[in-house]
Amino acid sequence: MSIPIADPEVGDAELKGVVDVLESGQLAAGEAVSEFEARFADYCGAEHAVATTNGTTALHTALTAVGVEQGDTVVTTPFSFVATANTIRFAGAEPVFADVDPETFNLDPHAVEQVVRDRDGDVDGIMPVHLYGLSAEMDHLREIAEEYDVPLVEDAAQAHGAGYHDETAGSMGDAACFSFYPTKNMTTGEGGMITTNDEEVANAARRFVNHGRSQSGYEHVEVGHNFRMTNLCAAIGVAQMDRIRGFNEARRENAAFLTEGLADTDAVTPTEPEGLRHVYHQYTIRVGNREELIEQLDDHGVGSGIYYPNPIHELEAYEDYTGPTDLDVAETVAQQALSLPVHPNLTQADLETIVDVMHEVDVEPVDPVATTEVPNV
């Protein structure tokens, strides 16, 4: 592909950071990890940050740290990468899916309310995903979490720097989790981070990622894992902290160009609700003839991606799922969603090519999708 769907950006600063760590001889957890945690917490407006090996282990750790345990249930979205649901199971709980909003692709709070009411309040956590770089509707979700006294964990794996009114992703729930996989808005190669404003949650997370070890010696107060980030990965992360704001601005500018350029097509372009700041990990449109469009883009050297072709409850790994399956919106958008390149390394010519190709194919419109309405009781 001459215009790839993703193009990770690393340079001299990242290389120098890695070389410095190699020369120091301290390759595992150390000063680079501590610096990265402090800087990332500050970036998110959170009090604490705990680095991990990847976004999946961050989610597993956070769920455990907020008290999710064997036999619990956690309400989440079926339209996400499978790790969202997998980590609930890793924590010993079961995911219960609620439907999504077709415009934002995020967990629909009205659908969450309906699921919780149908279960007579018998849930033990809520985990929204800030999908594609856009924050979920956190005020409404916080109200539900507070009403039923359950923890709220943000899956912010794709939302580094996303804004929700005067707040930032990573600072709004009891805990939040990020991924630093190479295609994310910033990377450490592989890596993850938990952010929280709760010191007890932070301490529990630090123990869990380090074999359940207390702050000193070989005192293991609980069963834990080795989910620690290395200094090598953290050194890349420290360098990326100096660049993440620029990366996000470039993504937003590229997204604005695409949205303007596609305005006269039948593609449904991404939305940015008032007061929210989308950081466009993916620029995801909805079309009625996705496969034809993919072929046209491919013929012109334009990469694209389907994130995600099947909602989680339809995956073979979840054939034993017994929760709600009236998830019509998630099932519909999974057949329509297509992501176009939006990464910071796109040139103006690249952007114009994407728009031109989109005009060459006869984009079919999508049918309206009904959303969940819940009456006040």
Side-chain angles (χ1 to χ4, degrees), residues 59-323:
L59 286 167
H60 182 185
T61 300
L63 287 165
T64 302
V66 300
V68 172
E69 58 188 8
Q70 191 71 36
D72 284 353
T73 56
V74 177
V75 182
T76 192
T77 170
F79 192 56
S80 178
F81 183 55
V82 69
T84 300
N86 284 352
T87 55
I88 294 171
R89 286 189 165 180
F90 293 159
E94 278 297 313
V96 177
F97 297 120
D99 217 342
V100 301
D101 183 305
E103 299 301 320
T104 67
F105 303 103
N106 282 325
L107 194 59
D108 183 343
H110 297 290
V112 173
E113 262 188 299
Q114 189 65 63
V115 166
V116 174
R117 289 177 182 177
D118 288 346
R119 297 178 62 87
D120 294 325
D122 184 21
V123 298
D124 304 287
I126 300 173
M127 188 160 72
V129 177
H130 304 320
L131 198 67
Y132 304 144
L134 178 68
S135 173
E137 182 47 62
M138 291 299 291
D139 281 345
H140 194 167
L141 291 170
R142 281 187 288 209
E143 289 174 2
I144 300 169
E146 289 171 6
E147 179 179 353
Y148 293 94
D149 192 27
V150 297
L152 183 66
V153 177
E154 304 169 65
D155 181 341
Q158 303 177 358
H160 316 67
Y164 182 80
H165 302 288
D166 60 348
E167 298 176 280
T168 303
S171 66
M172 298 181 284
D174 295 279
C177 304
F178 295 83
S179 167
F180 302 118
Y181 186 74
T183 60
K184 296 299 192 289
N185 290 36
M186 61 175 288
T187 186
T188 61
E190 278 278 16
M193 190 76 79
I194 302 154
T195 56
T196 181
N197 291 316
D198 188 321
E199 186 174 6
E200 290 186 8
V201 170
N203 289 338
R206 291 193 187 282
R207 291 193 301 271
F208 192 74
V209 304
N210 193 23
H211 299 289
R213 184 181 293 185
S214 60
Q215 294 299 310
S216 62
Y218 285 91
E219 295 297 325
H220 300 270
V221 297
E222 59 200 32
V223 175
H225 289 270
N226 178 2
F227 288 165
R228 302 185 303 265
M229 178 179 281
T230 67
N231 261 354
L232 292 166
C233 287
I236 298 173
V238 169
Q240 293 264 299
M241 290 305 306
D242 293 329
R243 310 176 71 186
I244 180 59
R245 289 179 173 83
F247 289 160
N248 283 346
E249 285 307 310
R251 286 176 180 272
R252 287 177 54 79
E253 290 171 7
N254 292 343
F257 183 92
L258 292 173
T259 297
E260 182 177 358
L262 302 181
D264 57 349
T265 73
D266 284 319
V268 179
T269 54
T271 187
E272 185 179 59
E274 184 177 356
L276 274 62
R277 174 183 167 81
H278 203 319
V279 292
Y280 296 98
H281 167 62
Q282 299 291 348
Y283 183 89
T284 302
I285 61 175
R286 289 195 294 131
V287 295
N289 56 333
R290 183 170 65 188
E291 300 308 317
E292 179 185 355
L293 183 53
I294 290 172
E295 290 181 8
Q296 291 288 329
L297 291 165
D298 185 73
D299 289 344
H300 288 80
V302 178
S304 61
I306 303 175
Y307 309 106
Y308 301 90
N310 302 103
I312 298 171
H313 67 283
E314 293 185 343
L315 297 175
E316 184 177 353
Y318 282 81
E319 62 184 4
D320 60 342
Y321 171 71
T322 59

